[in-house]
C-alpha cells in the first residue's frame, strides 16, 4: 500500500475498518432490507468519525439509507458528498473466505461491503483533517436494483450539495491502481419484457394453435439483429435476452410465452433507437405468427459520463496518493450499469474505479459466487475519496 495512503490509518482505525468490512460481508442483506447493515454503519460512523465526535449528525433516509454530515472548516462553504452503496445480491457465496456469508443465497458479490466501509473510512479521515466545507457521507441502499439513488434524492437529503463522488471496486486492476478519468464510465441499464399471446392447443395438433413458443424462438433470434444491423458499429451497445418462460407440459402448446433481458447503451440516441427496434421487431414477429405482443421497456439508470472538472479533481487526488503511474485508464467501454448516474443528473460529480485484485489473483468478475475484493482496496478507496472531497471543496469555495 502506498505510504501516502497507509500513513493515514493508525492501528485502531485500520483494525476497526477491517472488522467492519468482515462483519458486513458475513451478514449481507438485499436491497431495501439492509436494516442490520444500516445499524452497524451508523454505529461505525459515530465511533470512527472523530475527533468530530458528537457533532456528527446522522439522518436515516430512504428506508435503510443513512446520510452523515462531517463538519468542514467553514460551515458556510459549499457542501460535497461521498456515496457508498450497501446492499448485496441474491447469490450463494462460494469464496471459501473465513468471513463468508452466513445468509443462505445472499452475498456481497459486487463489493458493496467494501464501498460501505471505505465511506466510513473517508468519514474518519475527513473528521481528522476536514475539508473546507461540510461533507455528506451517503450510505445508499438498493443500488443492485437501481432504485436506491432515486430514493435518496427524493428524500431531499442532498439538496444544496455542490458535487458528489463515488467509486467501485474492480478486480481487473490490482490494489493500488485507480481509474479517475473524464468520459464514459458506465452504461444505461434498461430492461425489457415481451409477452407473446396466442392460442393454446394439444401438442399433437399444432395447426390448431397460434404458437407463442415458436414466435418467442424467432423473436430471440431476430432481436440479435438490433445491435448487429441497426446500431452504428462505432457505438457500443448490448442487447441480452436473459429469460424465457413458457409452457407447463411437454404435450401442451401454451397460450403465451414471455422473454426478458437487458439493454445497455452509452448515449441517448442509441438508447432510444434500441428501444424502438425492440418494439418494432416484437410486433412484427407477433403479426407474422398470428400473435399479439405486449412490450414493456423499463428505463433504468442512465449512463455515467464523468465531466472534465470533477474528474480532474479526482485525478489529482488519486495522483497525490498512489502516484501518476498508478492512475490508469479504464481501457474498455464498461457496459455495466450504476445508479450513481441518477445523482449526476442533478449534481455535478465523478465516479472512479478502485483496483481490488490481490497480488497473483485472477480478475474474477463481479456478480460471481467467487467474487471478493482485497482488503487493501478499502484503504485506497477511503483515502482517494476523502482527498477528492477536500480538493473539490476547496475549488468550489474559491469560485
Amino acid at each position: 500500500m502506498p505510504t501516502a495512503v497507509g500513513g493515514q490509518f493508525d492501528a485502531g482505525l485500520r483494525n476497526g475498518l477491517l472488522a467492519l468490512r468482515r462483519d458486513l460481508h458475513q451478514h449481507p442483506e438485499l436491497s431495501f432490507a439492509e436494516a442490520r447493515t444500516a445499524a452497524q454503519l451508523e454505529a461505525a460512523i459515530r465511533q470512527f468519525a472523530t475527533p468530530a465526535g458528537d457533532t456528527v449528525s446522522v439522518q436515516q433516509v430512504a428506508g435503510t439509507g443513512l446520510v452523515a454530515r462531517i463538519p468542514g472548516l467553514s460551515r458556510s462553504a459549499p457542501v460535497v458528498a461521498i456515496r457508498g452503496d450497501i446492499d448485496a445480491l441474491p447469490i450463494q457465496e462460494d469464496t471459501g473466505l473465513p468471513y463468508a456469508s452466513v445468509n443462505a443465497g445472499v452475498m456481497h458479490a459486487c463489493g458493496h461491503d467494501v464501498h460501505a466501509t471505505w465511506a466510513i473510512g473517508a468519514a474518519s479521515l475527513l473528521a481528522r483533517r476536514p475539508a473546507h466545507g461540510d461533507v455528506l457521507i451517503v450510505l445508499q441502499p438498493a443500488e443492485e436494483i437501481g432504485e436506491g439513488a432515486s430514493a435518496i434524492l427524493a428524500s431531499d437529503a442532498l439538496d444544496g450539495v455542490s458535487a458528489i463522488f463515488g467509486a467501485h471496486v474492480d478486480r481487473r486492476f490490482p490494489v493500488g491502481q485507480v481509474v479517475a478519468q473524464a468520459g464514459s464510465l458506465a452504461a444505461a441499464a434498461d430492461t425489457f419484457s415481451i409477452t407473446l399471446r396466442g392460442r393454446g392447443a394439444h401438442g399433437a395438433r399444432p395447426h390448431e394453435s397460434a404458437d407463442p413458443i415458436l414466435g418467442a424462438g424467432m423473436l430471440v433470434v431476430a432481436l440479435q439483429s438490433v445491435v448487429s444491423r441497426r446500431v452504428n458499429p462505432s457505438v457500443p451497445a448490448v442487447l441480452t435476452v436473459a429469460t424465457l418462460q413458457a409452457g407447463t407440459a411437454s404435450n401442451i402448446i401454451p397460450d403465451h410465452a414471455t422473454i426478458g433481458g437487458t439493454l445497455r447503451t452509452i448515449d441517448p440516441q442509441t438508447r432510444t433507437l434500441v428501444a424502438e427496434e425492440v418494439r418494432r421487431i416484437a410486433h412484427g414477429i407477433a403479426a407474422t405468427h398470428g400473435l399479439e405482443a405486449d412490450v414493456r421497456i423499463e428505463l433504468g439508470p442512465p449512463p455515467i459520463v464523468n465531466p472534465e472538472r470533477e474528474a480532474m479533481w479526482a485525478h489529482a487526488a488519486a495522483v497525490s496518493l498512489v502516484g501518476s503511474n498508478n492512475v490508469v485508464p479504464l481501457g474498455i467501454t464498461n457496459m455495466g450499469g450504476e445508479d450513481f448516474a441518477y445523482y449526476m443528473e442533478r449534481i455535478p460529480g465523478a465516479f472512479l474505479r478502485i483496483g481490488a485484485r490481490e497480488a497473483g489473483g485472477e480478475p474474477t468478475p463481479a456478480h460471481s459466487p467467487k467474487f471478493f475484493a482485497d482488503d487493501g482496496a478499502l484503504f485506497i478507496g477511503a483515502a482517494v475519496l476523502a482527498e477528492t472531497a477536500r480538493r473539490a471543496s476547496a475549488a468550489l469555495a474559491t469560485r
Side-chain angles (χ1 to χ4, degrees), residues 75-377:
R75 299 306 295 268
S76 63
V79 176
V80 301
I82 292 170
R83 176 270 219 163
D85 39 4
I86 69 174
D87 56 327
L89 284 157
I91 297 174
Q92 181 64 41
E93 183 163 356
D94 187 25
T95 60
L97 291 169
Y99 52 92
S101 171
V102 298
N103 296 340
V106 184
M107 76 168 287
H108 275 294
C110 204
H112 294 188
D113 53 325
V114 176
H115 301 174
T117 304
W118 73 30
I120 300 298
S124 180
L125 296 179
L126 287 163
R128 297 174 182 210
R129 185 161 69 88
H132 189 75
D134 292 358
V135 178
L136 300 186
I137 304 298
V138 182
L139 295 160
Q140 180 208 300
E143 189 281 329
E144 295 293 0
I145 62 172
E147 298 180 10
S150 295
I152 294 285
L153 288 167
S155 75
D156 299 330
L158 303 190
D159 286 1
V161 169
S162 296
I164 187 166
F165 301 92
H168 202 294
V169 292
D170 195 327
R171 283 187 60 89
R172 289 171 296 184
F173 302 95
V175 169
Q177 289 189 344
V178 176
V179 176
Q181 66 185 47
S184 175
L185 260 289
D190 304 327
T191 59
F192 68 90
S193 174
I194 304 169
T195 298
L196 297 177
R197 303 187 186 281
R199 185 173 61 255
H202 196 293
R205 293 186 287 275
H207 62 289
E208 296 176 352
S209 74
D211 188 349
I213 292 182
L214 175 60
M218 300 295 287
L219 180 55
V220 170
V221 174
L223 287 174
Q224 306 313 306
S225 69
V226 174
V227 173
S228 67
R229 290 297 179 270
R230 295 295 296 138
V231 175
N232 186 324
S234 68
V235 179
V238 173
L239 187 160
T240 294
V241 178
T243 63
L244 196 162
Q245 293 98 24
T248 57
S250 61
N251 62 347
I252 300 171
I253 296 173
D255 63 359
H256 70 279
T258 300
I259 69 171
T262 187
L263 309 173
R264 303 298 173 103
T265 54
I266 63 169
D267 67 274
Q269 295 77 19
T270 306
R271 192 181 194 187
T272 298
L273 170 66
V274 169
E276 290 175 347
E277 287 297 304
V278 167
R279 293 188 180 94
R280 183 182 66 82
I281 291 174
H283 288 297
I285 292 289
T288 299
H289 294 277
L291 308 168
E292 293 183 356
D294 179 11
V295 183
R296 301 185 182 187
I297 296 177
E298 182 177 344
L299 297 181
I304 289 181
V305 181
N306 283 344
E308 290 284 346
R309 183 184 68 165
E310 286 72 22
M312 178 187 67
W313 295 336
H315 185 274
V319 167
S320 73
L321 292 165
V322 301
S324 58
N325 290 340
N326 286 314
V327 182
V328 298
L330 184 61
I332 62 168
T333 301
N334 177 33
M335 301 308 288
E338 167 59 66
D339 83 345
F340 188 84
Y342 287 124
Y343 297 119
M344 291 178 63
E345 285 189 315
R346 290 186 30 190
I347 306 168
F351 197 71
L352 291 68
R353 310 291 290 192
I354 305 293
R357 188 176 76 243
E358 71 284 0
E362 297 294 325
T364 312
H367 293 212
S368 158
K370 295 186 180 296
F371 179 86
F372 76 98
D374 186 78
D375 286 330

